[in-house]
Amino acid sequence: MSAVGNLVPARFLTLTAHLVIVITIFWSRENNVEACLPLDFTQEQYDNEDTKLVVALSVTLGLFAIELAGFFSGVSMFNCSQGLLSTAAHASASVALLFFLFEQWDCEFYWWILAFCRSVAGHIGLFLRSAVFSLHLLRSYSSSQCLD
Amino acid sequence: MAVSGKHTIMSSTPLQVLLYLNGWYFAAYFLAESLMFVFKGLMLPYPTANLTLDVVLLLLFLGLESLRIFYGWKGNLTERSLAMFVSVLILVLCAVLSVYYLLLQTFVLRLEFILNAVLLCFYSLEMLLGIMSISAFSRSKVY
C-alpha cells in the first residue's frame, strides 16, 4: 500500500495549518500579552512582554522556513516515521495554539508549546535521517513504499 | 526512464509538486471558506446580495481551480504547450478571484487574508514555472 501517497498531503496540510495559526497569533497578540501582565500595567511592562512574545514567534517562523525547505526538497519524503512524527507534532501544536489564541492563555505557555512540538531533537533527527536516507536513495531505485 | 534514446524529459517536477500540493491546499481552503461564510453570515450584518455574490464567486473559484489544476497537470505530463497555456490563462482569473477575497470582499477576516496570501504565493510560483515549461515545450524538436 502506498502510504507515502497519504502521508505527504497530511504532513503538508498540518504544517500549513500550524503556519497559518502562528501568523494569526503574530497579528493579534495584544490579548495574549495583556493576559501575562497584572491588572494595572505600565507601557514598559507591556513592551517587555510583547518583545518576548515577538521573539518566540520569530523563532517559530525561522524553524518553519527550515522545515518547509526540508519538506519541499523531498529528502524526507520516504521516511515514514519522520513524516508521522512531523504530522503528529504539527497537529498537536495547531490544537494547542488554537487554545492559546481563543482562551487567551499566558505568554509562558507559548514557550512550552514551542519546546514540546518543535523540539530541536526533532529537527536534528530530520536532518540526520534525511541525509543518510538520501544517500541510500541515490544508489537504489525508489518505489513509492514507505521505508523505515 | 529519464533518458531513452534521444528524448529527454521536459516536464517540470517542481511544477508537478506544486500542482499536487495546490490541489490539496485548495480543498482545505474551500472547506475553510465555506465554514467561514456560514460564520460570517450568522455573525456579521451582511446585505443579502453581497453574501450571495461572495458564495457564488466561491463556487466559481472551485470550478476554475479544478479546471486549472487538471489542465496544468495533464499539460505538464504530456509536455503539450496548449494545455499549459490554457492553465496559465485560467491562473490569471483565479489570481483575480483570490485578490478579491483578500481585499475587496465585504468583510475580510484575518484568517481569510492569510489563506489567500498563501494561495497567491502558490500562484506566483506556478505562473513562473508554467511559463518556463511552455517555453521548454515549444522549443523542443519532437516533431
Side-chain angles (χ1 to χ4, degrees), chain A:
Chain A
M1 169 173 129
S2 157
V4 174
N6 296 321
L7 198 56
V8 167
R11 208 172 136 200
F12 172 68
L13 285 177
T14 48
L15 182 63
T16 312
H18 190 192
L19 179 66
V20 165
I21 292 179
V22 165
I23 296 178
T24 310
I25 291 180
F26 213 133
W27 208 342
S28 62
R29 61 185 186 275
E30 288 103 16
N31 281 330
N32 284 104
V33 175
E34 281 174 16
C36 314
L37 298 166
L39 277 171
D40 46 341
F41 54 88
T42 63
Q43 187 60 31
E44 310 165 9
Q45 284 175 311
Y46 182 88
D47 288 335
N48 221 2
E49 293 288 336
D50 195 34
T51 314
K52 282 198 279 192
L53 193 60
V54 166
V55 165
L57 288 164
S58 313
V59 165
T60 314
L61 287 176
L63 290 173
F64 259 118
I66 298 175
E67 183 135 12
L68 277 172
F71 178 73
F72 277 113
S73 65
V75 289
S76 52
M77 181 157 65
F78 290 109
N79 191 346
C80 285
S81 47
Q82 170 61 42
L84 204 56
L85 182 68
S86 173
T87 309
H90 281 294
S92 54
S94 306
V95 171
L97 285 178
L98 261 177
F99 272 104
F100 179 81
L101 185 63
F102 283 133
E103 304 285 319
Q104 291 161 25
W105 280 354
D106 221 332
C107 311
E108 305 156 356
F109 286 105
Y110 190 82
W111 291 103
W112 284 106
I113 297 172
L114 184 59
F116 272 117
C117 301
R118 286 205 146 272
S119 56
V120 177
H123 280 275
I124 291 181
L126 165 69
F127 278 123
L128 276 179
R129 270 185 283 191
S130 58
V132 167
F133 197 76
S134 51
L135 283 176
H136 282 265
L137 213 55
L138 282 173
R139 297 164 194 213
S140 61
Y141 296 91
S142 61
S143 62
S144 63
Q145 293 291 323
C146 265
L147 298 167
D148 269 319

Side-chain angles (χ1 to χ4, degrees), chain B residues 86-128:
Chain B
V86 168
S87 170
V88 169
L89 276 182
I90 302 182
L91 180 84
V92 174
L93 286 173
C94 287
V96 166
L97 267 176
S98 184
V99 168
Y100 170 77
Y101 278 111
L102 183 79
L103 289 176
L104 300 169
Q105 61 170 329
T106 320
F107 293 111
V108 185
L109 301 176
R110 274 183 189 149
L111 189 61
E112 282 182 332
F113 191 91
I114 297 170
L115 287 178
N116 280 296
V118 173
L119 197 59
L120 280 174
C121 290
F122 266 112
Y123 284 173
S124 51
L125 285 173
E126 280 172 14
M127 170 161 278
L128 208 63

